[in-house]
Amino acid sequence: MEEASLDSVQDITVQDSRRFQEIESDGLDDQNSDQIESDELFVQNGAEMESDDQNCVTDGQKEFVAPAVGMEFESYDDAYNYYNCYAREVGFRVRVKNSWFKRNSREKYGAVLCCSSQGFKRIKDVNRLRKETRTGCPAMMRMRMVDSKRWRVLEVTLEHNHSLGAKVYKSIKKTGVGNKMKLDSNCNAEVRTIKLYRALVIDAGANRNANFSASRCKSSSDCHNKLNLRKGDAQAMYNYFCRMQLTNPNFFYLMDLNDEGQLRNVFWIDARSRAAFAYFVDVIYIDNLYLSNKYEIPLVAFVGTNHHGQSMLLGCGLLAGETKASYAWLFKAWLTCSLGRFPQTIITERCNVLETAISEVFPRSLHRFALSHIMRKVPEKLGGLRNYDVIRKALIKTIYESLKPFDFEAAWRFMIQRFGVGDHEWLCSLYNDRAKWAPVYLKDTFFAGMATARSNETLTAFFDKYVHKQTPLKEFLDKYELALQKKFKEEALADIESRNSNPELKTRCSFELQLSNAYTREIFKRFQLEVEEMYSCFSTTQLHVDGQVIIFLVKERVLEEGNRREIRDYEVLYNKAAAEVRCICSCFNFYGYLCRHALCVLNFNGVEEIPSKYILSRWKKDYKRLCASDLESSSTESTEQVQWFNQLYRSALQVVEEGMISLDHYKVALNAFEESLSRVHHIEEKTK
């Protein structure tokens, strides 16, 4: 199976939701005149047998996964070797029944592998009759080369009509000198294939104790070398993955096994999340709450934000432990879906292990700590201090009200000196990391609304309402489906609402009218608040001129505790020639739209429309439609047919999501699909 550039990883990808059918390609021989029948059988030398003995598993300890429709392999050899590995464990030998080749290039594009007892020998032209050993056994695996030169299993028959022997390790025919040399050269590939095949092994004998705990591990390294699963969890997970492969087009997963063949780490992503991945991967939040807080399921989630500002899932993983190796494996697995696109910004909790793994796997991404996570730890870390309430208020004021680094440094020094907490370990470490979490240092980082730069904002766990500390894996897999369905329905409803309704305008400002036609409804409401609050800014004056750049001072009355008003000053840089405006509050980088202070400066200078560079495409109503073709054309590594498939798939998926909202939506979507299919068939008939 595919190695996917990750050690001990199994990659199976399914791209069709229907039962897979063989489709003839141009240039193939319709009459199968090139069909070849062969008695090619697996031949194994002593070195490989020795390697197998080390990898073989006692009956009852492992359940070996049989071939299934939808499995995919990187090459024909990988598929052939996999079926051989399976056959040897079950107790039969393999023969290549049929092979199909392209007429011009003679490239193999299809094959049927079968049990060596399949069919019956022909007695014509045989000088010496031998005892019949074949039984007409129906066991077989039919496969075909599909997109990107991968080999997909199209049909499988597992039943045999004869007794199965012990595991097959002997050669079925003698090995000559030439064959032996050929086998020696392929030994490493065969051992690799066996290792990859073992990634399909479900560890039914390991981790049987449902009350397994860290205290019962022999060492911490043992705990971090395999998943802590209850009995039946691994099988339930594998069954779920197989079902998703056959019902959810483009579902993708990877498994990582340790040297003993036990499941260590897992990653998966469903089709709709993969489709969203192409649009909203600029900023991601890696949520490891469940892993770091020792939940029953060691879950890590990749979370992004869509064009409505809603959280969305971009992949999931289960990890053996909070180690650099496990995190690095998960991040590399996630990157296999990214088409080479790295996130611009990655947000995580404050964790040294995470920081190290991210710097290794995402060297081009900006790594920032979630401020809301830090603030949640304040009661735990500082609650025992005398004057805790006063210290907490001083800390909040320092973090959220400092507009310049100088202000932050001065306020911090004053706080620790006043309350005598200069030697507090947590505060000292927090100060040392300030460039990664304090808003005043992050003004050049784009957050797409996930910055939590205001005291009332927080990043919540994606599965917050679906998972508690004791939720078992089997239950989570069901809740995972419910959570995603709810999120996709919310997005579809928001799409419809944004397209079909006109937001109510609350001012006469031209900026409000301009973006009411562009932004999704929710993002427009957020921007609309900035337009309304322009009226709390009562003074805009010019401070300084430096060539083309003019610095303005905007005064705003800000509502504080106790309904008292406080006047704050905001500096705004404006360059008319370059159509650039930048406020010291950095609202645009934090939230993706201009703030009230910048709008006041534009209005002061007679600008009636916001410059296009400050109207982000990711917030637009039709963003996914507009950029689908751009995304595909930018993929230089994809073939033209793969680009067509991806774009058609994304377009169809939008119709599917909105067609699930109600019965009326369903009927319209279904009629549209049927009409489209009829028109495509009409074109096909015209070209015949």
Side-chain angles (χ1 to χ4, degrees), residues 208-326:
R208 295 188 180 191
N209 191 344
N211 298 316
F212 176 85
S213 66
S215 62
R216 300 186 60 182
C217 289
K218 294 180 181 179
S219 67
S220 60
S221 62
D222 291 337
C223 293
H224 295 158
N225 199 37
K226 64 181 179 180
L227 274 176
N228 176 17
L229 300 177
R230 293 176 179 268
K231 185 177 181 181
D233 279 353
Q235 185 65 53
M237 182 164 49
Y238 180 75
N239 291 342
Y240 173 77
F241 288 165
C242 287
R243 176 170 61 84
M244 292 303 291
Q245 283 183 325
L246 296 176
T247 60
N248 190 331
N250 237 14
F251 181 86
F252 177 89
Y253 77 88
L254 292 172
M255 288 185 173
D256 175 36
L257 278 72
N258 61 23
D259 293 337
E260 288 73 43
Q262 297 165 324
L263 198 57
R264 181 166 51 194
N265 303 304
V266 182
F267 167 75
W268 75 94
I269 179 171
D270 70 285
R272 285 181 287 195
S273 295
R274 290 188 75 179
F277 197 107
Y279 310 108
F280 304 112
V281 76
D282 49 356
V283 181
I284 64 164
Y285 162 47
I286 299 176
D287 179 11
N288 67 336
L289 168 72
Y290 313 99
L291 178 64
S292 60
N293 286 276
K294 312 302 180 189
Y295 275 54
E296 179 76 16
I297 49 170
L299 178 70
V300 177
F302 296 86
V303 183
T305 181
N306 66 11
H307 52 314
H308 301 288
Q310 302 167 335
S311 63
M312 56 189 309
L313 192 66
L314 297 174
C316 277
L318 300 177
L319 299 187
E322 291 185 276
T323 65
K324 179 203 162 195
S326 287

Side-chain angles (χ1 to χ4, degrees), residues 632-673:
E632 296 308 330
S633 61
S634 65
S635 178
T636 56
E637 297 182 2
S638 298
T639 64
E640 191 177 41
Q641 286 78 10
V642 172
Q643 292 177 21
W644 292 346
F645 171 83
N646 289 334
Q647 186 167 340
L648 286 170
Y649 170 74
R650 291 192 182 105
S651 299
L653 190 58
Q654 293 177 47
V655 180
V656 171
E657 289 175 355
E658 296 191 16
M660 295 166 57
I661 294 175
S662 69
L663 180 60
D664 289 339
H665 287 79
Y666 163 75
K667 290 179 179 178
V668 172
L670 186 60
N671 288 336
F673 277 131

